[in-house]
Amino acid sequence: MANKETSKTPFDPEIKKGLVIALVIVLLFGSGNFLGGLFSKKTGINPVDSTSKAAVSTTAATTQAPTQATTQAPAPQEQTTAAQSNAPADQTTAASNAEQTAAAPAPSTGAPTTKAEIVQLFNESANKIKTNATKVTRNYEDLQHNADKTVLPPALQGIGSPLISTFLKKNETPVEYTGADIVAQYPVAGENFVSKTTEADLLDATCNDDGTNYNIVLTFNDCTDPVGSGCANAFTLIKESDVKENAKVVQTFSISYSNAKIECKIDKATGNMVWANYSLPMVLSVTAKVLVSIDAKVGMTFVHDYSIEY
């Protein structure tokens, strides 16, 4: 009797579900072909520092000279009064205009302001990376597990979540890409373009001029399984074929993306993009079947940081 109970235990429904989902997780995230095919692990050098600082102060120089002039040998009060009473009105007006001119804000720098203008600038600059850049350095990649958005069968909840986290980590080893590797590895990986972003793909677009660079932030609309739109126009996405080739038990596959964001710096003098950071939060949903069908969701965020040289 004891032997019969022991032989039945592995086929308990909850255990079967746990075994299946464990297999899916291992196949999905343990496969070097799966993640390795998307994000190369080449050995690189120290990251390029993309931070530029410019400290220019003209206020002191502007205000110092008038102060010195007003302290030189003041005239007697009666002379001052006479001078003030005899001063032509046009001189007084000129002095007033000079003060207003000094206090006026700097003229517009010509930075794009509308979503259409920002998108155009971003696309033109980004696409030059794969044609003109001599070297791209992936400064780091941060593959994060969003446990709060991960849903697993109860039998595996306590084991599966830590298991996923062992495969999703931050890698701060810089990786260099040159030549054909830039096309193969830089988003959109394997394509001859970096961005086909449209206004319709974006929730928001901003551009700030810091004097040296245009600092652009693009926030993409939420989307599910995009093809030729949304995140698919600027990010390297996990494809259904990538999953099914490495996890034969997967029957259905879907990924939803939310709050995807690209931040970048474009050098004003050259129009070249010199730094970019891609953040792609997602929830991967799969249905798999070995002995029984099970559903699972895995929340992840992929962050990649790049410096670009020309």
Side-chain angles (χ1 to χ4, degrees):
M1 184 67 178
N3 290 336
K4 290 182 180 181
E5 290 178 352
T6 302
S7 64
K8 290 180 180 179
T9 301
F11 299 99
D12 178 85
E14 287 301 312
I15 293 179
K16 284 191 292 185
K17 289 183 180 180
L19 291 174
V20 171
I21 192 62
L23 177 61
V24 171
I25 291 171
V26 171
L27 288 173
L28 286 178
F29 302 104
S31 171
N33 292 331
F34 179 63
L35 288 180
L38 292 178
F39 309 110
S40 176
K41 304 292 185 182
K42 296 179 182 178
T43 302
I45 61 169
N46 291 332
V48 178
D49 183 6
S50 63
T51 305
S52 59
K53 298 180 180 179
V56 180
S57 175
T58 58
T59 304
T62 303
T63 58
Q64 186 175 8
T67 303
Q68 293 175 350
T70 55
T71 58
Q72 293 177 357
Q77 183 171 355
E78 60 273 14
Q79 294 180 2
T80 302
T81 304
Q84 290 174 347
S85 61
N86 294 330
D90 53 346
Q91 292 183 5
T92 304
T93 303
S96 176
N97 291 339
E99 292 176 357
Q100 293 178 4
T101 301
S108 173
T109 59
T113 56
T114 68
K115 185 183 288 188
E117 292 171 340
I118 295 171
V119 168
Q120 181 179 358
L121 174 61
F122 175 82
N123 284 344
E124 290 176 353
S125 182
N127 287 323
K128 290 197 297 181
I129 293 174
K130 292 196 175 183
T131 57
N132 296 1
T134 57
K135 181 172 69 175
V136 172
T137 301
R138 190 205 70 194
N139 300 318
Y140 66 85
E141 69 173 359
D142 189 5
L143 309 184
Q144 306 168 8
H145 175 212
N146 302 329
D148 59 322
K149 296 183 179 179
T150 295
V151 180
L152 304 175
L156 196 68
Q157 190 69 43
I159 300 174
S161 197
L163 177 62
I164 296 171
S165 295
T166 63
F167 296 109
L168 300 177
K169 298 179 178 180
K170 186 173 184 178
N171 182 353
E172 297 185 277
T173 301
V175 179
E176 285 187 359
Y177 305 126
T178 58
D181 284 341
I182 296 176
V183 176
Q185 301 296 337
Y186 193 86
V188 176
E191 301 289 348
N192 59 9
F193 67 90
V194 173
S195 175
K196 291 184 177 180
T197 302
T198 68
E199 293 180 69
D201 297 329
L202 300 177
L203 177 65
D204 191 28
T206 62
C207 180
N208 172 260
D209 182 354
D210 66 11
T212 303
N213 301 302
Y214 292 126
N215 301 284
I216 290 178
V217 179
L218 303 182
T219 304
F220 287 72
N221 292 320
D222 296 353
C223 54
T224 300
D225 301 328
V227 177
S229 64
C231 299
N233 280 341
F235 288 83
T236 300
L237 306 182
I238 298 175
K239 300 177 181 177
E240 184 174 2
S241 58
D242 295 327
V243 174
K244 290 188 175 180
E245 286 175 7
N246 291 283
K248 303 296 185 183
V249 295
V250 172
Q251 291 184 314
T252 65
F253 158 90
S254 181
I255 298 186
S256 60
Y257 302 93
S258 61
N259 199 37
K261 185 177 295 185
I262 299 176
E263 300 179 59
C264 70
K265 289 182 179 291
I266 297 175
D267 178 61
K268 292 176 59 179
T270 62
N272 292 332
M273 190 174 295
V274 295
W275 170 82
N277 181 282
Y278 290 69
S279 177
L280 185 63
M282 69 192 83
V283 175
L284 185 154
S285 302
V286 296
T287 297
K289 183 176 182 180
V290 177
L291 300 175
V292 295
S293 293
I294 56 91
D295 297 316
K297 294 183 178 181
V298 181
M300 304 175 289
T301 297
F302 290 175
V303 180
H304 292 84
D305 192 269
Y306 301 94
S307 296
I308 306 104
E309 300 177 40
Y310 300 84

